């Protein structure tokens, strides 16, 4: 079953649970800052392992110690609950 | 010694040696396409190991099976020979 696209109000409400994330260009997005490139890459590899396991892959931009994740759900043409699950999981992996 | 910033003509000439790369927003850039996310991440990790070893880090954007590298040299405020060395090395690691 394809995930359900959330309404704008639902997205706004769900963002309250992951307050460091924001809406940007039809995706939800967060930039994490680490102490250096090696720490950033360790996070990226944790994200990659998770993404492959749940088969839901964010866009990942690495700029030395900064990692930006952007995610939406192609199957529903918007933002779904899956994106917020990934956002919360990524927050948990960033510490 | 800080690397030397290449002139526009020198950049144009050097791009002939890495023809899949292009000039974009003051950096040189290439997008690689792999068979899937796992193959893309394997390439990203090879790039990360190289970047850390030579202490020259490209920006890396991962979009499932696509990896875009963008690089310039902060120390010279432009594009240097180091960027083309990284470009050629990345091309060698992408096969």
């Amino acid at each position: 079953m394809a995930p359900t696209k959330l309404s704008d109000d639902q997205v706004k409400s769900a963002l309250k649970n992951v307050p460091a994330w924001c809406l940007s260009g039809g995706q939800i997005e967060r930039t994490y800052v680490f102490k250096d490139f090696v720490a950033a890459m360790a996070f990226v590899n944790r994200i990659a392992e998770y993404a492959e396991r749940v088969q839901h892959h964010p866009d990942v931009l690495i700029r030395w110690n900064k990692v930006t994740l952007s995610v939406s759900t192609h199957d529903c043409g918007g933002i779904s609950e899956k994106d917020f699950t990934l956002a919360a999981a990524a927050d948990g992996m960033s510490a």
Side-chain angles (χ1 to χ4, degrees), chain A:
Chain A
M1 204 178 72
T4 306
K5 178 178 174 169
L6 300 179
S7 70
D8 291 354
D9 279 351
Q10 286 172 318
V11 168
K12 199 178 288 184
S13 173
L15 278 168
K16 289 179 186 152
N17 297 324
V18 284
W21 287 71
C22 68
L23 194 59
S24 175
Q27 299 192 298
I28 57 169
E29 181 174 301
R30 177 178 176 182
T31 297
Y32 300 85
V33 181
F34 298 92
K35 75 175 167 72
D36 58 22
F37 178 72
V38 171
M41 278 303 305
F43 174 66
V44 167
N45 278 298
R46 289 194 293 275
I47 293 294
E49 190 276 329
Y50 171 88
E52 191 61 16
R53 181 156 43 83
V54 303
Q55 284 296 302
H56 191 48
H57 303 80
D59 291 347
V60 180
L61 173 62
I62 308 158
R63 287 167 299 169
W64 198 59
N65 69 329
K66 295 186 188 71
V67 178
T68 301
L69 303 182
S70 314
V71 67
S72 62
T73 304
H74 296 287
D75 290 352
C76 74
I79 296 167
S80 76
E81 198 51 57
K82 282 177 77 172
D83 301 312
F84 285 100
T85 303
L86 184 143
D91 284 355
M93 283 183 265
S94 70

